[in-house]
Amino acid sequence: MEHILSLIENIIRPEVRSLSAYHVADSSGFVKLDAMENPYTLPEGLKQQLAQRLADVAMNRYPVPSYAVLKQAISDKLGVPAGFPVVLGNGSDELISMISVACAKPGAKVLAPVPGFVMYAMSARFAGLEFVGVPLAADLSLDKAAMLAAIAQHSPAVVYLAYPNNPTGNLFDKDDMLEIIAAVGNSGVVVVDEAYQPFAQASFMPLLPKFDNLVVMRTVSKLGLAGIRLGYMSGSAALMGEFDKVRPPYNINVLTQAAAEFVLQHVDVLDAQAAQLREQRGKLAAALAALPGVSVFPSAANFLLVRVPNSEQAFAKLLEHKILVKNMGKMHALLENCLRITVSTPEENAALLDALSASL
């Protein structure tokens, strides 16, 4: 045992040794409301067509590394401005990793509001970058003054702004974000992460032609394709060309590629599912807010952040009812006694409400 410990001390970077692994709870047998997945599957007819499409894929061959057909489909169907290239990732996690690796000059820093998506900080540390977290205001809005002061002090190479933000669910003020993009200027890139864009119906994608330092990143996960792991980003051709250099050459597998190309031909089905979830979000928010001692934060995503009298107790009670949500209470001081709950089908939302009201 001593030998393996000394081996690990000798070879593993101390900042990696000090990290905890990204934890994913086992969800078998649970109503799964902890990971912002779309609960709806494809209609039966489309499933059959997709099965045929996947059966015809040449799995004995590497993917064509340009991914031209898939990129064109993303541009056509998902609103990337004409003439702006698309870079693909194995989920947006890989895009974040690629940005970190490409920007990891000695002493470079990554800056983001906190609480935010944990992978911004983790990926920065993996690449040897310093992470600077700027706390949100008490109402979970951007603290613009603190952000601008931190940008002036740290001159970050990368700034992340999630739109809407995870785990808070809110859209930051657009004018505040534009000021931040201008303040960073050509000393860094501002990555607007639009993972939840189908539920917000607001986007910085049309603004790409106005800002050389703007990158817009998205994923098809929340749209209903979390299992195929596909993220994409766009920005200036020069910038995307640099990020593309650190992308593993065959990072999108042929099954993901074929599935995404097929489903993008039927994106209206996914849009209709997103509309259903937006409607359910309003109903669930109102029902949760009516429970004693529960406050619901405004959300433009497919999840709700709620504050309960005791999040540990509520989380444990929900587990007893076989319902899995995310207990955010210890993640950050601003999230004390908060739970994050995925918006799901009317049936699963009703089960959650029954169990939560019983636990209160």
Side-chain angles (χ1 to χ4, degrees), residues 103-110 127-132 154-157:
C103 297
K105 281 177 146 181
K109 297 178 184 181
V110 172
L129 292 150
E130 185 185 331
F131 179 77
V132 178
H154 295 284
S155 193

Side-chain angles (χ1 to χ4, degrees), residues 75-94:
S75 296
D76 293 346
K77 300 288 187 182
L78 301 175
V80 178
F84 278 75
V86 169
V87 173
L88 304 177
N90 182 16
S92 55
D93 294 324
E94 187 179 43

Side-chain angles (χ1 to χ4, degrees), residues 7-294:
L7 172 71
I8 284 168
E9 278 184 15
N10 287 340
I11 64 168
I12 305 293
R13 287 160 43 207
E15 63 269 38
V16 172
R17 292 207 312 270
S18 69
L19 285 172
S20 304
Y22 187 90
H23 176 67
V24 179
D26 177 30
S27 62
S28 44
F30 284 82
V31 174
K32 192 174 186 314
L33 304 178
D34 66 330
M36 290 83 75
E37 293 138 327
N38 175 351
Y40 299 109
T41 57
L42 292 175
E44 204 50 48
L46 289 185
K47 280 186 185 175
Q48 297 302 326
Q49 292 176 49
L50 174 60
Q52 188 54 56
R53 181 74 70 92
L54 295 180
D56 293 338
V57 168
M59 289 194 292
N60 57 322
R61 303 291 181 195
Y62 285 109
V64 175
S66 66
Y67 298 107
V69 174
L70 177 53
K71 288 178 181 180
Q72 193 59 54
I74 287 171
S75 296
D76 293 346
K77 300 288 187 182
L78 301 175
V80 178
F84 278 75
V86 169
V87 173
L88 304 177
N90 182 16
S92 55
D93 294 324
E94 187 179 43
L95 296 173
I96 293 165
S97 171
M98 283 156 50
I99 292 168
S100 299
V101 169
C103 297
K105 281 177 146 181
K109 297 178 184 181
V110 172
L111 185 141
V114 290
F117 184 38
V118 295
M119 290 311 295
Y120 305 148
M122 285 185 79
S123 177
R125 292 185 185 122
F126 293 160
L129 292 150
E130 185 185 331
F131 179 77
V132 178
V134 180
L136 295 172
D139 66 353
L140 305 182
S141 64
L142 267 183
D143 186 338
K144 185 179 74 173
M147 287 290 291
L148 293 174
I151 287 162
Q153 181 188 343
H154 295 284
S155 193
V158 185
V159 174
Y160 286 100
L161 293 170
Y163 189 73
N165 188 45
N166 168 26
T168 56
N170 54 324
L171 283 173
F172 297 141
D173 183 85
K174 186 178 176 183
D175 290 334
D176 288 356
M177 290 172 63
L178 291 172
E179 240 182 281
I180 287 165
I181 294 167
V184 172
N186 64 2
S187 66
V189 294
V190 178
V191 181
V192 176
D193 183 349
E194 297 189 343
Y196 300 93
Q197 185 272 334
F199 309 101
Q201 298 192 289
S203 177
F204 274 68
M205 199 68 93
L207 297 177
L208 284 178
K210 289 190 171 166
F211 299 100
D212 290 339
N213 68 333
L214 176 62
V215 174
V216 176
M217 172 190 295
R218 291 190 190 153
T219 172
V220 298
S221 292
K222 313 308 177 224
L223 200 55
L225 302 170
I228 70 170
R229 309 305 302 127
L230 180 66
Y232 62 100
M233 64 179 168
S234 189
S236 75
L239 200 50
M240 291 301 108
E242 296 303 316
F243 290 146
D244 204 43
K245 290 176 185 174
V246 298
R247 179 183 61 80
Y250 303 115
N251 64 328
I252 307 303
N253 73 74
V254 288
L255 294 173
T256 288
Q257 183 182 1
E261 286 171 9
F262 173 78
V263 176
L264 285 171
Q265 293 173 326
H266 305 280
V267 81
D268 54 317
V269 173
L270 300 181
D271 287 342
Q273 292 176 355
Q276 274 178 288
L277 291 169
R278 289 196 301 271
E279 187 187 342
Q280 285 302 318
R281 177 180 68 202
K283 291 179 178 176
L284 182 60
L288 286 166
L291 295 176
V294 175

